[in-house]
Amino acid sequence: MSHNSALPATFDPYEYLQIVLNPDGTITRKHSLLSGAAATSDPSHHTIPSKDISINQSNNVGVRIYLPRQALDSSSTVKLPLIVYYHGGGFIIGNVAASVFHNFCSNMALEFPAVVLSVKYRLAPEHRLPAAYDDAMEALHWIRTTQEVWLKEYADLSSCFLMGTSAGGNIVYHVGLRAASQIDELFPLKVKGLILHQPFIGGVKRTESELRLMNNPVFPACVSDLMWDLSLPHGVDRDHEYCNPTVGDESKALDQIRVQEWKVVITGWNGDPMIDRQIELVKMIEQKGVKVKSHFCDGGYHGIDIVDATKMKELQIILKNFVLS
């Protein structure tokens, strides 16, 4: 389907997402964002070494760690920044093993270089929000205490950046607010910045960009609405703070982010229906006195940076400068 074509009259968001709603409220997932690339810890392998670790078997929460080749250079004693990454998928699909996210994290580890840790969190509707936020925070506390050798030997825990794509960008915002109120509890892990990559946010009243792109074939309104219906707590609408960050009173947490001098960057594309909300989020954070950079480009579409190799490279150069500046 072309990125510029109109939706067919028979468009079905369930079919588009390759999910089936079951009578008990769970969903059967058939989407390619569920599986893909296996981890390989063999340093002689042509790809970036990676490995999967379970951190909470009862909740099926885990991480995939990516180790850049620079870390294996025996002559280097400098530890590398740590990027904690949260994948996208509208909170209902997606996995650390999905090829698009696996390749994105591998390329990021190579480009920066940095140790990248991708978090496997619970999905809705089986586990509605805030389950994903809870799992994301659990991963940060696991990093703080783990004896995992790749983190202990190669990652600089005092230079940690939280990054997420789409729903993962939403997670970064909410987990960032939580982490800002737990500075002492997270020590020696020190968050230095938040990277919201095309964050998945919404609201009840449509913005101009949402109306303009309501029937875009990449991420139409009926698809995002369904994702919110399946992921938000029962009985709330899209003006809940998990979806619409402008309705919550997070002044205290944002003030703590300002005091800690965390850096924040929000990226997006004009062809993404959420661009107006992302711009609004930048303004709201700026009004709280937080250092925030924005990088918004003309054209594009939701998720372009993780599927288009050229755009991915351009984005990762921007983020590399942000992290290392």
Side-chain angles (χ1 to χ4, degrees), residues 87-144:
H87 66 76
F91 299 109
I92 65 171
I93 54 177
N95 196 294
V96 297
S99 295
V100 289
F101 301 126
H102 176 83
N103 294 339
F104 185 78
C105 289
S106 293
N107 289 331
M108 190 158 49
L110 177 65
E111 179 66 41
F112 277 53
V115 177
V116 177
L117 183 147
S118 182
V119 179
K120 178 184 179 183
Y121 54 87
R122 288 172 293 172
L123 300 177
E126 295 84 357
H127 306 283
R128 290 176 177 264
L129 294 173
Y133 306 150
D134 295 341
D135 297 344
M137 277 303 299
E138 182 175 15
L140 296 185
H141 283 285
W142 176 84
I143 293 168
R144 177 181 68 86

Side-chain angles (χ1 to χ4, degrees), residues 202-206 225 228 232 236-240 243-244:
V204 171
K205 185 179 180 181
R206 304 289 189 196
D225 288 354
W228 288 121
L232 286 171
V236 307
D237 61 21
R238 294 194 306 276
D239 277 338
H240 189 279
C243 175
N244 187 347

